[in-house]
Amino acid sequence: MKALVYLGPGTKALEERAKPEVAAPTDAIVKITKTTICGTDLHILKGDVPTCQPGRILGHEGVGVVEHTGSAVTAFKPGDRVLISCISACGKCVYCRKLMFSHCTAGGWILGNSIDGTQAEFVRIPHADTSLYPIPDGADEEALVMLSDILPTGFECGVLNGKVQPGNTVAIVGAGPIGLAVLLTAQFYSPAKIIMIDIDDNRLAVAKRFGATAAINSADGKAAETVMKMTGDLGVDTAIEAVGIPATFELCEKIIAPGGTIANIGVHGTKVALHLERLWDRNITITTRLVDTASTPTLLNILHSHRIDPKLLITHRFTLDRILDAYETFGHAASTGALKVIIEA
């Protein structure tokens, strides 16, 4: 089969690999129909994720059709159309019982990280019964790809961890795909203001179309001053970091109001300063999280009721044999205007 393989920092290739086989009774082999590229894949290529070693097939999102199942799989059979969760969950360990599937002792974020992932024609899914979701007839596969990772990540790590409430003021730092997923799902809770901050005017324009009440280009270094003016020098109730670099997290520290919450989503590859000399007395909460996908059933229901349209995030489409072009497009979003790309296998 064809597969996109990580060869070390800055290097990747489309290679021929052997098809995966069932390795445990709880496994399923899924033939990929559609997958995508995540910002985390770019972090891997930068060398920010040491658990992902050279030779790994990348990708942790997608939809497909079950081809084979292990003897212990009871919820799925060959021919079933399925949504692949970016998080593999055994459903039994101490963390799974707390709904912290991302820290499953036999799973977690392993696809495209510590085991081969979904940017290929076939993928092995461990703990299939609790790591796949059935796709109902008539469902849009492209929209469902956004539910593998990006929407639950934005919702859980940003909106829920950020304690977004009706009438609140929310700032989202980073108008990339994750930041926009936060924007879409934050509106479930009717905040009074959603301020989107980025250095890309094109993405800020998209954010305005998606429901942001204000957009700030932070390239001039005055974003914090602008936010404070917009909030009567109070700051925001929730500041959500959706980039993963020191400057954006420190911006959240500057704009958070007393009693507010900073919710980190970004994958950080370098250390970030925590300015307790300013924050020690401000009653703030700082949250971190890797997506658990515990919200996926809820988001599926919302998708089926047409209360959200994840396809808004899709800007480009490629076939698997052009996945290197897809990476080039996704990795240079400032010039290509890319948000999410769909790769058809």
Side-chain angles (χ1 to χ4, degrees):
M1 69 172 185
K2 292 184 178 68
L4 190 284
V5 181
Y6 170 61
L7 300 176
T11 310
K12 60 189 178 299
L14 184 64
E15 296 184 353
E16 288 289 332
R17 286 291 188 94
K19 285 175 56 177
E21 298 179 351
V22 169
T26 52
D27 288 349
I29 306 301
V30 176
K31 179 179 174 60
I32 295 292
T33 54
K34 290 180 174 65
T35 185
T36 186
I37 301 169
C38 180
T40 307
D41 297 320
L42 300 186
H43 279 284
I44 290 172
L45 288 167
K46 286 169 59 182
D48 289 345
V49 185
T51 50
C52 185
Q53 294 294 303
R56 179 68 59 224
I57 297 172
L58 294 185
H60 49 267
E61 302 162 90
V63 296
V65 179
V66 175
E67 183 165 271
H68 302 296
T69 59
S71 59
V73 176
T74 60
F76 300 97
K77 64 184 184 304
D80 286 347
R81 297 167 64 226
V82 291
L83 165 66
I84 298 166
S85 174
C86 65
I87 298 296
S88 301
C90 75
K92 301 175 182 178
C93 71
V94 61
Y95 291 116
C96 284
R97 289 178 180 270
K98 295 178 181 179
L99 301 184
M100 292 174 59
F101 305 132
S102 61
H103 293 279
C104 172
T105 58
W109 175 38
I110 54 176
L111 286 175
N113 180 9
S114 57
I115 68 171
D116 287 336
T118 59
Q119 291 171 11
E121 293 180 276
F122 296 87
V123 64
R124 180 178 70 88
I125 304 296
H127 313 299
D129 278 346
T130 44
S131 304
L132 297 172
Y133 295 88
I135 295 178
D137 291 339
D140 189 311
E141 286 192 347
E142 289 190 348
L144 286 169
V145 172
M146 302 300 107
L147 268 69
S148 280
D149 180 357
I150 185 171
L151 279 186
T153 294
F155 185 50
E156 295 175 11
C157 305
V159 177
L160 297 183
N161 264 23
K163 302 179 179 67
V164 175
Q165 297 292 327
N168 277 7
T169 298
V170 177
I172 303 167
V173 183
I178 286 292
L180 293 172
V182 175
L183 172 61
L184 290 174
T185 54
Q187 293 173 71
F188 298 161
Y189 293 91
S190 301
K193 294 179 182 177
I194 306 178
I195 304 166
M196 186 66 78
I197 304 170
D198 202 284
I199 59 173
D200 187 327
D201 283 331
N202 291 328
R203 287 188 166 183
L204 291 172
V206 172
K208 290 283 284 184
R209 292 201 303 272
F210 285 11
T213 57
I216 299 172
N217 190 312
S218 57
D220 62 2
K222 298 180 179 179
E225 179 183 337
T226 303
V227 170
M228 297 308 288
K229 285 181 180 177
M230 293 174 64
T231 59
D233 287 328
L234 295 176
V236 299
D237 300 300
T238 300
I240 298 170
E241 198 288 330
V243 182
I245 60 174
T248 49
F249 189 86
E250 291 187 47
L251 176 57
C252 290
E253 295 181 55
K254 293 176 182 177
I255 63 176
I256 194 66
T261 299
I262 298 173
N264 182 82
I265 304 177
V267 177
H268 290 272
T270 58
K271 65 181 180 180
V272 178
L274 176 60
H275 290 282
L276 284 177
E277 76 279 6
R278 293 201 308 266
L279 300 174
W280 69 271
D281 64 344
R282 295 179 69 83
N283 296 51
I284 67 161
T285 300
I286 298 174
T287 66
T288 65
R289 186 172 183 173
L290 179 60
V291 62
D292 292 300
T293 66
S295 68
T296 300
T298 297
L299 292 169
L300 279 166
N301 288 336
I302 294 171
L303 176 65
H304 294 159
S305 68
H306 305 290
R307 296 296 300 274
I308 192 171
D309 183 7
K311 288 186 72 172
L312 292 170
L313 297 165
I314 300 168
T315 56
H316 295 75
R317 292 167 176 82
F318 298 87
T319 53
L320 183 61
D321 59 3
R322 292 187 58 217
I323 193 169
L324 294 177
D325 294 332
Y327 264 92
E328 189 72 13
T329 298
F330 185 69
H332 294 86
S335 58
T336 63
L339 292 174
K340 291 295 282 184
V341 301
I342 287 289
I343 298 159
E344 188 166 355

